[in-house]
Amino acid sequence: MEPSDPIRESVPAEVWARVMPAVIDELTRWGVERFSIEALSERHHLDAAMVYRYWGDRRQLIVDAVLADVEKVSSGTDTGSLRGDLLALASNVTNQINGELGRSLLRALVMDRRGGHDEATRVRFWRLHFAAMRAVVDRARDRGELREGVNTLAAVQILLAPLNIRALYSDVPIDDDYCAAIVDLAWHALARR
């Protein structure tokens, strides 16, 4: 994945492969609030000037790490059934936000402008989630499993909102039973009878 900002210099694959694991390590250890390019560079033996050349600032570096991780949300979600796809997607999201890093990043993205993430950042993040859910909805529609008139945005919100709200307001991990209950509610709302 390359950074999405066309103004910045394109990141070579070998640089991406060295920097992104270091960013994830730093974010996991120190969180979004304490993340700095200088500390990242020192601890992981990276050239800070190189990081700035490709990413420009800490916010863009964090955003690129988050967006690269979000792409994992859609993996393995083509199970052959609407219920199976919903469960796979919900499980991927739950696995992501159950981790300390995932929860911290989710919380950082919903903070106001003082949190350092603008509307464009939030839109990019949610667009990837929407694309994963749209694929689930489109496959179900093609298989004839979806009831008429399903609004894809509403379908995304039915599945993802309860998981994200729980992660935002609690440090308790989302368990399999809760995840399955949300999937069941979403399936009943979306499936053809």
Side-chain angles (χ1 to χ4, degrees), residues 50-66:
M50 177 220 30
V51 175
Y52 280 111
R53 181 173 69 243
Y54 292 119
W55 281 276
D57 61 23
R58 72 184 282 284
R59 184 195 63 80
Q60 189 59 52
L61 189 55
I62 293 168
V63 167
D64 282 355
V66 170

Side-chain angles (χ1 to χ4, degrees), residues 33-53:
E33 299 81 17
R34 293 177 52 197
F35 179 88
S36 81
I37 291 176
E38 289 73 19
L40 164 86
S41 299
E42 184 177 322
R43 273 191 280 279
H44 295 275
H45 310 291
L46 298 168
D47 178 19
M50 177 220 30
V51 175
Y52 280 111
R53 181 173 69 243

Side-chain angles (χ1 to χ4, degrees), residues 7-193:
I7 296 170
R8 291 179 288 128
E9 196 174 325
S10 181
V11 181
E14 65 276 2
V15 172
W16 186 271
R18 284 187 60 222
V19 173
M20 280 301 128
V23 172
I24 298 298
D25 180 64
E26 286 293 300
L27 289 168
T28 302
R29 286 180 195 226
W30 306 106
V32 174
E33 299 81 17
R34 293 177 52 197
F35 179 88
S36 81
I37 291 176
E38 289 73 19
L40 164 86
S41 299
E42 184 177 322
R43 273 191 280 279
H44 295 275
H45 310 291
L46 298 168
D47 178 19
M50 177 220 30
V51 175
Y52 280 111
R53 181 173 69 243
Y54 292 119
W55 281 276
D57 61 23
R58 72 184 282 284
R59 184 195 63 80
Q60 189 59 52
L61 189 55
I62 293 168
V63 167
D64 282 355
V66 170
L67 294 180
D69 194 48
V70 167
E71 290 179 350
K72 296 176 189 171
V73 165
S74 61
S75 67
T77 59
D78 189 356
T79 67
S81 73
L82 174 58
R83 185 180 287 248
D85 289 2
L86 291 171
L87 186 57
L89 181 61
S91 294
N92 288 350
V93 169
T94 298
N95 289 337
Q96 185 180 57
I97 61 180
N98 266 344
E100 185 178 330
L101 176 59
R103 200 160 289 209
S104 294
L105 294 174
L106 180 65
R107 289 174 178 169
L109 285 171
V110 298
M111 292 173 64
D112 62 18
R113 293 184 193 274
R114 292 180 307 247
H117 299 286
D118 58 13
E119 184 65 19
T121 301
R122 288 187 284 275
V123 167
R124 287 171 58 200
F125 177 82
W126 293 114
R127 189 173 288 146
L128 286 171
H129 279 90
F130 181 80
M133 185 66 182
R134 170 171 226 105
V136 168
V137 170
D138 288 348
R139 284 192 303 266
R141 187 173 282 122
D142 291 346
R143 290 188 302 252
E145 293 180 276
L146 207 62
R147 70 174 176 75
E148 292 297 319
V150 168
N151 178 292
T152 305
L153 179 58
V156 170
Q157 293 169 339
I158 288 168
L159 183 68
L160 299 181
L163 300 173
N164 286 310
I165 291 296
R166 186 143 175 200
L168 288 170
Y169 290 103
S170 172
D171 289 331
V172 176
I174 300 168
D175 61 30
D176 292 342
D177 291 338
Y178 183 78
C179 189
I182 297 305
V183 166
D184 198 42
L185 290 170
W187 182 80
H188 282 291
L190 303 173
R192 180 185 299 277
R193 302 278 180 251

